Amino acid sequence: MEEKKNPVEPSAELQQLVADADTGGRAAAGAVGKLILFVAVGWSCFQLWYASPMPFVLGWGILNDTEARSLHLGIALFLGFLCYPAFKRSTRASVPWYDWVLAVVAAFAGSYFLWFYADLATRPGIPNMQDIVVACTGLVLLLEATRRAVGTPMTVLAVVFLGYIMLGQYMPEVLSHKGASLERMLSHQWLTTEGVYGVALGVSSSFIFIYVLFGSLLDRAGAGNYMMQVSMALLGHMRGGPAKVAVVSSGLNGLISGSSVSNVVSGGIFTIPLMKKAGYGGVKAGAIETMSSVNGQIMPPVMGAAAFLMVEYVGLTYAEVCKHAFLPATLSYISLFYIVHLEALKLGLEPFAPGRIRGARERLVGWGLGLSGTIAVLCAIYFVAEAAKNLLGESAPWVLGFLLAALYVWCLRVAARCPDLPQHIDVKNPVLPETWPTVKAGMHFLIPFGMLIWCLMIEELSPALSAFWATMTLLVLMVTQRPLTEFFRGRPIAVREIVDGLREVFLGFNDGARNMIGIAIATGTAGIIVGGITLTGLGLRMTEFVEFVSMGNVLVMLLFTAFVCLVLGLGVPTTANYILVATLMAPVIVELGAQSGLVIPLIGVHLFVFYYGIMGDITPPVGLASFAAAAISGEDPIQTGIQGSVYALRTVILPFVWIFNPQLLLIDVHGWFELVLVVVSATAASLIFAAATIGWFQAKSRWWESGLLLLAVFMLFRPNFFMDKLYAPWEAKPAKQLYAITKELAEGQNLVIVLQGTNIEGDDITKTVSVQLGKEEEARKRLAASGVTFTVLGDEVRVATVKFGSRARRGGFEQGWVVKEVKVRSQAPSEHWVFIPAFAVIGFVFFLQRRRSGPSGAIPAAA
C-alpha cells in the first residue's frame, strides 16, 4: 500500500526523542514487533470496553476498580519492558531475553490483584509468603520500569520515600515517625489501594487512557493537520503570521493532546522554519513553539490528564474543574498571541504570506457573519436536541443519532466539494490557503469533539462514558470518511478506502496504548509516594514544616511551593509532579491560609501546583520541550529554554493572582455583568503584562512606562487589594445567625465561618473556612448536602459532623470545633471601581507611546 510521503519529516534524532519521551524508543521488527502491536491494540480495546456501558448491559466482563487497575498496570509493565530499552546504548531493533523475563514477571506482579482478588480479600493486612514475594518483586520491577519510561529522578524520589517509610525513627524530629516493618510496607504499597493501586492509578485506568486514545485517533483521522491548516488560513497573512499559527494550532491541539514534546515536534517541524524565515530568529522561534505546546497541557478538557485527577482530589465535577481552568488557560494563550505580535513589531516584520486584500469593513463583516453563523448553528443544535428529548422520551437517542448521522453526511458532502487538505506546509514557498474552503474541508472533525462536550456539559455523563461515546463517533468517522468522500465526488467506492480507514483505527489504537505506557507507570509510582505519605503521616508534619519555613506568611509559602514544583518538574513528569505536590502541599496551603484568615479555594491550590509543575518542560537545564524545539531550530536548547521562560512569565503570575483573587477562576462571580467585567479586566491585564515584560506597547517602553503598566496590571488583577484598604470586605455576624445566613445565600455562593478548636498536636487554633452551598432551600439540608452539620446550644454553635470526602472536609471543617462567627460580605463599594484608574493609566501610556511611534505603531527610523 503506497503512502503519501511528507517532504517535511522530523529527523531521526527528533523522532527518537519523541519516542523516548512518549512511546518507548524500541522499534522491534518481525514477530516481536507484531506481538507488541497486538498487545497494545488489545490494551486499547480493553480500555474502550471498560469505559463503555456494555459490561453492565451484557452482564459479562465486569471488573471492579481494583481489578481494572491491576490489569491496567500489568499490561503497562509488560509493554514498558518490551518498548523501553534498559539504556541509551541498548539495541532498539530487538528485545533481549532478560527484558522478556522482566516483562512477564512484571505483568504477573502488576496484575496479581486480578488473579488472586478473592484470596486477598479473605486476608486483609495478613499477607502470606507468596504475597510478600510478589509485592517485593513488583515494587522492584515497577521502579525499574519507571527508570526506563519516566526517568531516573522519579525513581530516586520513590526510593527515598520507601527509605523514609523504613527508617523514619532515625529522621530529624520534624520528620520522624516510628517506622514500619518490611511486611507492613509491602502490604500497604502493593496489596491495598493506599499505595500503587491508589487514586492516581485508578484515574489512569478509568479516565486518562480513554482520553489519550481519543486524542490519538483524532490525530490519525487528520484532525491535527486540519487544525494546522485552518490556523494557517486564518492567520498566515498577518504580521508574524507563522508564530501566530504556532500559538493557535498548538492551542487547538492542546485540547486533545497531553504531550508537550510530541506537540512541539508535530507542529514545530513546520512553524519553526517558517518563523525563522519570517525573521524571528531560531531561539525565539523555538521558544514560541515550546510555550505554545507546553501551554496545551493547561487547556481544558484534557489538561495533560490532570483534570481527571482534580475531580478525585478536589471533589468537584469534571465540568466544574473545566470551568475553573478555562479562563486562565485562555488568558495564557491570548497573551502569548500578543507577545508574538509585539515581537513582530519590535523586529519590524512584514506580513509573511501574501494575503487577501480586504478593507476593515469587509473583515468586520466577515468575522461578524462567521461568529454569528457559528452561534446560530450551535443554538439550533442545542434546541433541536432538547426538543427531541422533551417530545420523544425514550425514542430521543435514536432520533438524535439519526440527525447526527445526517449532519455528518452533510459535512462530508460539503467537504467533498473542496480540495483535499495538504498534508504539509511548504516552508520554502509557503502558500496561504483559502480560509472558507479550508474550514469546510474538515468540519466533520468537529463532530466527535462536539459529542464529547455535549455529553460532558449538557448530558452530564461521567468523563469516561462521555469519552467512550465521542470515541465511538470518531471510529465511525475514521472508517467511513474516505468511502463517503469518494461517493460524493462521483467515484466508485473501493475496498481500499474502507481498509485504509480500518488500518488507521488499528494504528490509532496502537498509538494510544504506546502513549499510555509512561503515564500508567508514572501514576503507579506516584502511588508509592502517596502511600508513603499516608503510612507515615508525613502530610500532617508538612503543615508544621511549611509553617516554619514560611513563618506563617502565605506569599512565602506559595513561593516555596512554586519552587518545589519547579525543582521536581526538572525530572518528574507533569502528572506525577502534580500528584506528589498536591498530596503534600495542597492541604497545607489551605490550612495555613485558613489560619491566616484567608479563604483559599482548594481548586485554586491544585491548579497552582499544576501550573508550576508544567514549567519543568520549559525551564533549563532539562526542559524536554525546549530540547525538542532546539533540535528543530538548530539553536542552543539552554538559550531556547531561557527565552521560553521569559515568555512564560505571563503564565507564571496567574496562579498567584487567583489565590488572592479567585474570580479569575470564575469563583464568586455573580451575574453576566460581573462575568464580563472579570473577563475583560483579566484579558486586559494579561495583555498589558505581556507588553510590560517585553518592553514594547505602542513603542519601546521607557522604564517608568513599564512600571506604570505593571501598576495597572496589579490594579486589574487585584482590585480587592486597594478596596480592602479602604473598606472592610467582611462583616462579622454572631454564630447563632448561621442558619439564617445560610438560607439567604444564593446557589453557588460560599458560607464563610470562623472556627476555634484544638488541633491534633494540642494547639489552640482559629481558622477561617468556607463551603460552597447547593440549591436546597432549607438551611440544614443545604449544609448537610455540603457535608457538614451543626448543633446549637443557646448562643454556642458547634460543628457536629463532617462527612468524609465532602466539600466541607476538603474545605477544612473540623468536627467538634466551635463556630466563633459567621462572615458576610460588607456593603462596601464594588472592588471593580478600581478598574477605572487602571484603564486611565493604560490610556496615558498608550497616548505617550502613540505620539512617539506615529499612527502606524512603528518606531520612526530616527528613533
Side-chain angles (χ1 to χ4, degrees):
M1 187 180 296
E2 272 188 42
E3 301 233 353
K4 293 180 182 177
K5 186 171 175 70
N6 184 350
V8 184
E9 290 284 357
S11 66
E13 293 79 7
L14 271 176
Q15 291 177 335
Q16 191 64 51
L17 177 63
V18 175
D20 289 341
D22 291 339
T23 63
R26 186 172 279 148
V32 175
K34 291 179 180 178
L35 175 64
I36 294 173
L37 174 64
F38 280 102
V39 171
V41 172
W43 190 18
S44 292
C45 292
F46 159 69
Q47 293 290 166
L48 192 62
W49 171 266
Y50 182 60
S52 76
M54 296 308 296
F56 300 98
V57 172
L58 301 177
W60 179 83
I62 299 175
L63 297 178
N64 63 35
D65 288 345
T66 307
E67 291 171 326
R69 295 174 191 183
S70 181
L71 182 57
H72 182 78
L73 181 62
I75 299 175
L77 289 173
F78 181 78
L79 290 174
F81 281 105
L82 296 185
C83 296
Y84 288 86
F87 305 101
K88 288 185 178 181
R89 64 177 181 274
S90 300
T91 178
R92 260 64 173 172
S94 61
V95 180
W97 66 267
Y98 53 83
D99 276 352
W100 281 108
V101 174
L102 294 177
V104 172
V105 175
F108 173 76
S111 58
Y112 187 66
F113 256 118
L114 181 66
W115 310 121
F116 297 93
Y117 184 79
D119 294 336
L120 290 169
T122 64
R123 51 175 189 270
I126 314 174
N128 60 24
M129 182 55 67
Q130 175 181 299
D131 298 337
I132 295 297
V133 171
V134 170
C136 187
T137 305
L139 272 180
V140 172
L141 293 180
L142 176 59
L143 291 172
E144 168 58 15
T146 303
R147 183 191 67 81
R148 297 185 182 199
V150 183
T152 302
M154 189 169 184
T155 309
V156 172
L157 192 61
V159 171
V160 167
F161 269 83
L162 291 175
Y164 176 65
I165 294 173
M166 303 296 295
L167 305 174
Q169 63 268 37
Y170 304 110
M171 296 290 161
E173 184 178 353
V174 69
L175 297 175
S176 66
H177 63 93
K178 64 180 182 179
S181 64
L182 178 64
E183 179 180 300
R184 186 182 177 206
M185 183 272 288
L186 291 173
S187 177
H188 186 84
Q189 293 285 12
W190 202 264
L191 303 175
T192 71
T193 55
E194 296 293 327
V196 172
Y197 298 96
V199 171
L201 188 64
V203 171
S204 177
S205 64
S206 300
F207 303 137
I208 299 176
F209 194 109
I210 188 69
Y211 279 85
V212 170
L213 177 62
F214 179 69
S216 299
L217 290 171
L218 263 179
D219 190 56
R220 279 281 175 183
N225 178 60
Y226 171 67
M227 293 173 182
M228 173 71 77
Q229 297 295 339
V230 169
S231 301
M232 189 68 181
L234 289 172
L235 306 168
H237 64 283
M238 294 183 175
R239 191 191 298 264
K244 294 172 181 176
V245 170
V247 173
V248 173
S249 62
S250 293
L252 293 173
N253 279 324
L255 295 173
I256 57 174
S257 172
S259 170
S260 55
V261 177
S262 62
N263 204 343
V264 166
V265 173
S266 61
I269 56 172
F270 303 120
T271 58
I272 290 177
L274 287 174
M275 282 188 273
K276 289 177 67 176
K277 186 175 181 180
Y280 276 98
V283 172
K284 289 185 177 180
I288 290 169
E289 179 59 46
T290 298
M291 275 308 310
S292 304
S293 300
V294 169
N295 274 10
Q297 293 191 72
I298 67 178
M299 180 62 72
V302 178
M303 294 171 60
F308 314 112
L309 290 161
M310 289 180 194
V311 169
E312 299 295 325
Y313 288 149
V314 184
L316 298 176
T317 65
Y318 181 77
E320 287 175 314
V321 170
C322 291
K323 181 191 79 171
H324 294 314
F326 180 74
L327 181 57
T330 305
L331 292 177
S332 186
Y333 268 107
I334 290 174
S335 55
L336 182 58
F337 190 91
Y338 188 51
I339 283 174
V340 301
H341 177 70
L342 293 177
E343 289 283 17
L345 290 178
K346 287 175 63 177
L347 296 170
L349 305 183
E350 296 298 326
F352 178 67
R356 295 163 295 282
I357 301 175
R358 297 189 300 174
R361 180 181 178 184
E362 188 180 355
R363 290 198 301 269
L364 186 62
V365 170
W367 278 100
L369 290 175
L371 290 175
S372 60
T374 301
I375 293 172
V377 169
L378 293 177
C379 289
I381 292 173
Y382 174 78
F383 287 118
V384 167
E386 288 297 310
K389 289 193 296 182
N390 292 329
L391 296 175
L392 301 176
E394 294 182 358
S395 303
W398 297 101
V399 175
L400 290 175
F402 174 79
L403 293 176
L404 182 66
L407 176 64
Y408 167 60
V409 172
W410 178 80
C411 288
L412 271 183
R413 187 171 181 271
V414 171
R417 297 176 178 177
C418 303
D420 287 334
L421 294 175
Q423 296 302 306
H424 68 281
I425 296 173
D426 190 343
V427 297
K428 295 181 179 179
N429 299 295
V431 177
L432 190 66
E434 291 290 330
T435 303
W436 186 228
T438 303
V439 171
K440 291 192 295 184
M443 285 193 301
H444 56 287
F445 291 126
L446 303 178
I447 291 177
F449 194 73
M451 172 67 79
L452 175 64
I453 300 301
W454 179 274
C455 291
L456 281 172
M457 303 301 180
I458 307 300
E459 300 297 331
E460 296 185 350
L461 301 180
S462 71
L465 192 56
S466 300
F468 167 76
W469 289 117
T471 302
M472 295 305 296
T473 305
L474 179 57
L475 293 178
V476 173
L477 181 151
M478 293 178 71
V479 175
T480 61
Q481 64 174 339
R482 289 184 177 88
L484 287 176
T485 300
E486 294 297 301
F487 172 77
F488 286 125
R489 288 176 176 173
R491 303 170 187 165
I493 299 176
V495 175
R496 174 182 174 182
E497 304 297 336
I498 300 175
V499 172
D500 284 348
L502 292 172
R503 178 174 177 270
E504 291 301 321
V505 169
F506 190 78
L507 294 177
F509 274 33
N510 176 65
D511 294 344
R514 292 289 292 258
N515 285 324
M516 271 302 300
I517 297 172
I519 297 174
I521 291 173
T523 52
T525 307
I528 294 177
I529 298 168
V530 174
I533 294 170
T534 58
L535 182 58
T536 62
L538 179 61
L540 297 175
R541 293 177 179 82
M542 283 302 295
T543 302
E544 183 179 346
F545 176 72
V546 174
E547 186 176 20
F548 171 77
V549 171
S550 65
M551 296 175 290
N553 187 294
V554 175
L555 184 59
V556 175
M557 175 177 58
L558 292 172
L559 289 170
F560 174 75
T561 304
F563 175 76
V564 170
C565 292
L566 288 173
V567 171
L568 288 175
L570 296 178
V572 178
T574 302
T575 304
N577 187 352
Y578 164 71
I579 295 169
L580 172 60
V581 185
T583 304
L584 270 177
M585 300 297 296
V588 176
I589 294 174
V590 172
E591 179 66 23
L592 292 181
Q595 293 179 21
S596 302
L598 179 65
V599 177
I600 303 177
L602 187 57
I603 181 65
V605 178
H606 280 260
L607 286 171
F608 182 98
V609 168
F610 177 58
Y611 267 53
Y612 274 94
I614 286 174
M615 292 300 111
D617 277 350
I618 307 167
T619 51
V622 181
L624 286 178
S626 297
F627 274 79
I632 299 172
S633 66
E635 302 289 344
D636 180 50
I638 301 299
Q639 292 182 6
T640 302
I642 293 173
Q643 184 65 56
S645 300
V646 173
Y647 291 152
L649 288 176
R650 92 259 179 247
T651 303
V652 166
I653 67 162
L654 291 177
F656 284 93
V657 173
W658 70 58
I659 291 293
F660 296 100
N661 181 16
Q663 286 193 326
L664 193 64
L665 301 179
L666 303 183
I667 296 174
D668 286 334
V669 176
H670 311 296
W672 283 100
F673 179 71
E674 188 171 21
L675 175 63
V676 171
L677 275 179
V678 170
V679 171
V680 170
S681 62
T683 303
S686 297
L687 297 178
I688 299 305
F689 181 81
T693 52
I694 291 296
W696 190 285
F697 186 25
Q698 290 298 297
K700 185 176 181 180
S701 296
R702 293 163 179 157
W703 68 267
W704 57 270
E705 290 175 333
S706 294
L708 285 176
L709 291 178
L710 290 175
L711 174 62
V713 169
F714 186 78
M715 295 169 73
L716 292 172
F717 271 145
R718 283 290 316 276
N720 51 340
F721 176 84
F722 298 94
M723 198 59 74
D724 291 352
K725 299 294 183 183
L726 302 175
Y727 302 92
W730 297 98
E731 182 180 346
K733 296 291 185 180
K736 62 184 180 181
Q737 296 184 18
L738 172 69
Y739 289 124
I741 294 170
T742 301
K743 185 177 181 179
E744 293 174 359
L745 291 174
E747 179 186 353
Q749 285 189 293
N750 287 336
L751 172 67
V752 181
I753 65 176
V754 179
L755 295 178
Q756 283 183 328
T758 304
N759 64 10
I760 196 171
E761 283 87 17
D763 300 324
D764 292 330
I765 300 294
T766 299
K767 63 179 180 178
T768 305
V769 297
S770 72
V771 66
Q772 191 178 57
L773 299 174
K775 61 183 178 181
E776 293 82 2
E777 294 183 3
E778 207 273 319
R780 294 178 185 271
K781 290 182 179 179
R782 299 186 81 184
L783 293 169
S786 299
V788 61
T789 61
F790 297 88
T791 57
V792 181
L793 299 173
D795 290 340
E796 182 182 87
V797 180
R798 190 178 293 269
V799 180
T801 60
V802 184
K803 186 178 179 181
F804 179 78
S806 65
R807 290 186 177 183
R809 170 65 72 185
R810 291 184 171 97
F813 282 76
E814 303 281 355
Q815 186 170 328
W817 284 34
V818 175
V819 178
K820 181 182 178 183
E821 60 190 26
V822 183
K823 289 189 171 185
V824 297
R825 286 286 182 183
S826 66
Q827 298 302 312
S830 172
E831 62 194 33
H832 300 131
W833 286 109
V834 177
F835 294 162
I836 295 177
F839 281 110
V841 171
I842 295 171
F844 174 68
V845 176
F846 177 90
F847 175 75
L848 291 179
Q849 295 196 1
R850 195 71 170 179
R851 290 184 62 184
R852 292 206 306 272
S853 65
S856 66
I859 284 289

